[in-house]
Amino acid sequence: MKRKENKDQILFIILFCCSLGLISKLIIQFSNSAVNFEYGISSTIGFSTFAFLYSKHIFSQKPIRRVELICFSLPFFSTAIIFMIELLFNKGIAHYQGLAKAIDFYVFNFRRFILVTCFLGNIYLLVKYWDSVKKRARTNETGLALSFICYNFFLCFLISSSLLFKPFNYQFVLYLGLASSSIIVLLIVYFRFVNPYRDSLGLSVQTASKLSGVLRKTNEEKYQKNSAKIEGLRPLVAQIDELMIKEQPFLNPEFAHSDLAKSLSISNHDLSIILNNLMDSSFYQYINSKRVSYFIAHAHRIVQEDQNILNLAYESGFQSKSTFNKYFKIETGQSPSEFLKEKVSKIS
């Protein structure tokens, strides 16, 4: 899928930029050339430019064009060219004062300009797509984009500090580069690989669904004796449906059984009675049916606006592709792709 390729491609480029930046600083450290660490390949420029593209892609839900990738690559690769010139012709550059001054101006000012510009661009994206960001704030992609923005702010703060205080020495710049690249890698690993699978460490949705099926029979026998209490809770069924329509809490991928009980000012126990006896459903079945309905209501965006199925599934509140496919099939009897093909053929 084009969007997934865009997302993974940008993250790979960010990791590539960090790697080149680290390698260049290590070369300077262990070579005999008297090259300032500041002239190393700038991983911060690579991170800032491509982190901006990543945020733009996630917030707007539009694919990144190839021309954008090329344009945003230029600042980073220009630092690589400066690094090679300094490494190979360091002594020779001193004879050309104009060129030496131009390189110094580029290294010590252009980097700051790029960092600040990308940060301001990120703030603009946040303001422009704020409503969309709020709905998907807890998804891994949005969380990573927001983390990138926060880290870019931290880099801008360091740049500002370097202007106000004594310039950093070589060793500090090396350690800062190592730490910066490590932080960026950790952010990507956490949001891309660790966080999406954290649910597998506990009770999975599938296991919870099976358990709820077993428990439902027990609950039916248990609560039959207390029909008066069940009838007293019946008005809350309408309240639950109204809450789903007005506030759409199911769009939050971490919306839990206890959150719904709290919204209704009832106990978790009473909510289970309502779901099992009055709505003939489990919490996960009910919430995911609402998510499927939201997806279907907005499915026209996939056809008309070249949207991505998985992105809309995440927007609907699902945390994984497998859970989305499972509950979509339960609710519609079709897979998402079959449903969309049918929808396209009807439009045609």
Side-chain angles (χ1 to χ4, degrees), residues 303-346:
V303 180
Q304 296 173 0
E305 303 174 17
D306 191 28
Q307 288 264 6
N308 178 273
I309 293 178
L310 198 53
N311 278 344
L312 184 55
Y314 288 148
E315 181 184 323
S316 303
F318 288 100
Q319 280 190 310
S320 69
K321 181 179 178 181
S322 59
T323 304
F324 166 63
N325 287 336
K326 172 188 171 183
Y327 281 99
F328 194 92
K329 189 80 179 255
I330 290 173
E331 293 296 320
T332 65
Q334 297 176 296
S335 68
S337 55
E338 290 171 343
F339 172 81
L340 287 169
K341 282 181 183 178
E342 186 178 303
K343 191 174 185 68
V344 171
S345 63
K346 286 181 180 178

Side-chain angles (χ1 to χ4, degrees), residues 63 70 121 200 321:
I70 294 172
S200 63
K321 181 179 178 181

